[in-house]
Amino acid sequence: MRDLAPYASDPAKSRGRLHTETGGELRGPRDMFQRDRDRIIHSISFRRLRHKTQVFIAPDGDHYRVRLTHSLEVAQIGRTVARVLGLNEDLTEALCLAHDIGHPPFGHAGEDALEEALAGRGGFDHNAHCVRTLMLLEHAYPRFTGLNLSWEMLEGLAKHNGPVTAPSWAMQEANAAFPLELETWPSLEAQVAAIADDIAYDNHDIDDGLRAGILTLDQLLEVPMVARCWDKVRARFPDVPAEQLQRELVREQIGLMVNDLIETTRANLTAAGLDQADVQAVRLAGRQIADFSDELREPERALKRFMYANLYLHPIQVEAADRAKVIVADLFEAYHEHPDLMGDGWDVACVQEEPMRSRHIADYIAGMTDRFAEKAHRAVFGNKLDRRVH
């Protein structure tokens, strides 16, 4: 293992796991965070990400990103930044790989449908559901539920976007079982993972939008940061056709954001007097340390606003999202009335009492992939969906 900075998370100083593991459960010469990463990679929840929406719902083309490929790209960015800053690369990578595990089928459209279905019964939040899945719903070991991840891993997943001041019911349950200090900032590894996620989808979604023909280069060049990066790319490759430089534009923007993140985080560590402090001092700093500079923060937000207006909320995307919401809402209602329609023992475990009944059904649906949800809907409703949406 590379030398860690004083403010990095040290596996030898981990706060441990909820369930004690001894004997044959510990295999191979891996430390705490390496085991966390490997448990994520080998989990069923992680494998299901290959058929869960990133930008396009159940995309027809093989070249579009899904939650799995997005998570791999986030991990690549996060690990690079962690290495330069002297952070724990394994913990950073594990957090990046796991950060989207709580997403239901059809991305945010599916989440909105589950949130509505659970109105008055606690609602649904994909971040809390990620922690719930990894602590409770995965069944990989004989003596405990969940993956029994380290405290640092669960803390990072719970708080990677900052302190949780209004935890949902799922987060409250997780915190009661294994207190995660929700009111403080997380480790730098978790902060880096969160921004690596932003960098990845800010830029790779551009690539997918261009490929799908929903975005055009002329549209993108209306965004000042994109235009500046494009000018640099054209200056380096003046004789190359523009259509062959679109992915180079994406790489240019990623490089700009990654370098800014590294430089700004170093400056923030110095300004806060945390250069030689430990990870707990980072948690108690009362502010975000891993961040973009003031000069980049607003241009990055402007890019996000452009992407929402022109890609995520494009009429084609809205139509697909409406269809997805109907699928999730229909399934929830059907399973609520007839739990026997659920398989794999979920029907047997379904209770009558609320809110447990509805939350149990939401757990089942949230674990579905896009195509499994579509198949399940056809099994119950036939082709009724097409008539309802159109």
Side-chain angles (χ1 to χ4, degrees):
M1 183 176 68
R2 291 172 175 269
D3 291 337
L4 294 174
Y7 44 76
S9 297
D10 185 346
K13 299 177 182 178
S14 170
R15 301 194 195 185
R17 306 185 187 280
L18 179 59
H19 306 286
T20 301
E21 299 179 17
T22 58
E25 292 165 336
L26 301 179
R27 303 176 181 90
R30 296 169 295 164
D31 66 35
M32 181 77 74
F33 302 148
Q34 288 171 335
R35 293 180 191 278
D36 283 348
R37 177 201 58 208
D38 296 346
R39 290 179 184 194
I40 294 298
I41 290 173
H42 289 281
S43 69
I44 291 175
S45 299
F46 183 68
R47 292 197 293 275
R48 284 198 296 249
L49 294 179
R50 73 183 183 273
H51 293 301
K52 289 200 175 188
T53 296
Q54 175 58 23
V55 176
F56 300 109
I57 292 175
D60 293 329
D62 291 335
H63 297 165
Y64 293 110
R65 287 166 175 84
V66 291
R67 288 283 171 191
L68 178 63
T69 56
H70 164 70
S71 298
L72 294 172
E73 290 169 337
V74 174
Q76 181 269 316
I77 293 170
R79 187 154 195 148
T80 297
V81 175
R83 177 169 296 197
V84 174
L85 293 176
L87 302 176
N88 188 284
E89 295 177 40
D90 297 312
L91 177 58
T92 305
E93 182 181 19
L95 290 164
C96 292
L97 292 173
H99 80 282
D100 270 351
I101 276 177
H103 275 282
F106 313 120
H108 293 290
E111 181 169 7
D112 290 343
L114 285 179
E115 170 68 18
E116 184 174 341
L118 289 180
R121 285 164 279 194
F124 182 88
D125 169 61
H126 77 266
N127 194 51
H129 191 71
C130 174
V131 177
R132 177 174 173 80
T133 297
L134 297 175
M135 287 186 69
L136 185 65
L137 302 182
E138 277 278 347
H139 294 281
Y141 297 93
R143 290 192 173 90
F144 46 78
T145 59
L147 299 184
N148 202 29
L149 300 173
S150 70
W151 184 91
E152 290 77 10
M153 180 70 180
L154 294 171
E155 179 228 17
L157 290 172
K159 303 188 300 186
H160 64 275
N161 289 321
V164 181
T165 56
S168 66
W169 67 270
M171 192 68 80
Q172 290 178 28
E173 284 189 354
N175 190 61
F178 202 12
L180 299 172
E181 298 178 359
L182 296 178
E183 70 283 357
T184 67
W185 284 89
S187 65
L188 271 179
E189 286 83 1
Q191 295 184 38
V192 165
I195 300 188
D197 181 27
D198 285 343
I199 294 173
Y201 76 72
D202 278 348
N203 295 289
H204 293 143
D205 290 359
I206 288 176
D207 190 24
D208 280 357
L210 289 168
R211 184 182 298 278
I214 294 179
L215 298 179
T216 67
L217 182 59
D218 287 342
Q219 280 179 301
L220 282 163
L221 294 181
E222 296 175 4
V223 182
M225 182 179 71
V226 178
R228 289 193 294 271
C229 289
W230 179 249
D231 288 342
K232 293 180 181 179
V233 169
R234 292 300 285 158
R236 288 201 302 272
F237 303 99
D239 302 325
V240 178
E243 59 271 16
Q244 296 182 26
L245 292 178
Q246 291 176 356
R247 296 180 72 184
E248 185 66 21
L249 169 63
V250 171
R251 286 190 287 270
E252 178 71 24
Q253 291 186 176
I254 291 175
L256 170 68
M257 292 183 179
V258 166
N259 289 330
D260 183 89
L261 169 61
I262 291 170
E263 293 172 6
T264 304
T265 302
R266 282 173 168 163
N268 288 344
L269 283 166
T270 300
L274 297 172
D275 307 66
Q276 300 302 314
D278 63 12
V279 65
Q280 189 62 9
V282 172
R283 294 189 179 99
L284 299 176
R287 55 164 292 196
Q288 182 176 344
I289 301 299
D291 201 356
F292 292 129
S293 65
D294 292 339
E295 293 74 21
L296 185 62
R297 193 176 299 110
E298 179 51 37
E300 190 267 344
R301 290 172 180 167
L303 175 60
K304 276 189 170 65
R305 290 193 293 270
F306 169 86
M307 294 295 285
Y308 270 94
N310 294 280
L311 179 60
Y312 307 134
L313 298 179
H314 188 278
I316 293 176
Q317 296 286 78
V318 172
E319 182 180 356
D322 288 343
R323 179 178 181 275
K325 289 176 184 177
V326 170
I327 291 175
V328 173
D330 280 355
L331 287 176
F332 185 91
E333 183 177 346
Y335 295 149
H336 201 276
E337 291 187 24
H338 305 285
D340 55 294
L341 293 173
M342 295 187 289
D344 297 327
W346 286 84
D347 52 342
V348 176
C350 192
V351 299
Q352 289 292 330
E353 296 78 10
E354 292 288 1
M356 290 79 76
R357 183 184 183 87
S358 292
R359 292 173 180 179
H360 178 80
I361 294 168
D363 285 342
Y364 179 62
I365 295 175
M368 294 179 175
T369 62
D370 295 12
R371 66 181 187 178
F372 186 92
E374 290 180 327
K375 180 181 178 181
H377 191 275
R378 285 194 300 271
V380 178
F381 296 96
N383 294 322
K384 184 179 178 182
L385 172 69
D386 294 332
R387 294 196 298 271
R388 289 183 59 196
V389 175
H390 303 291

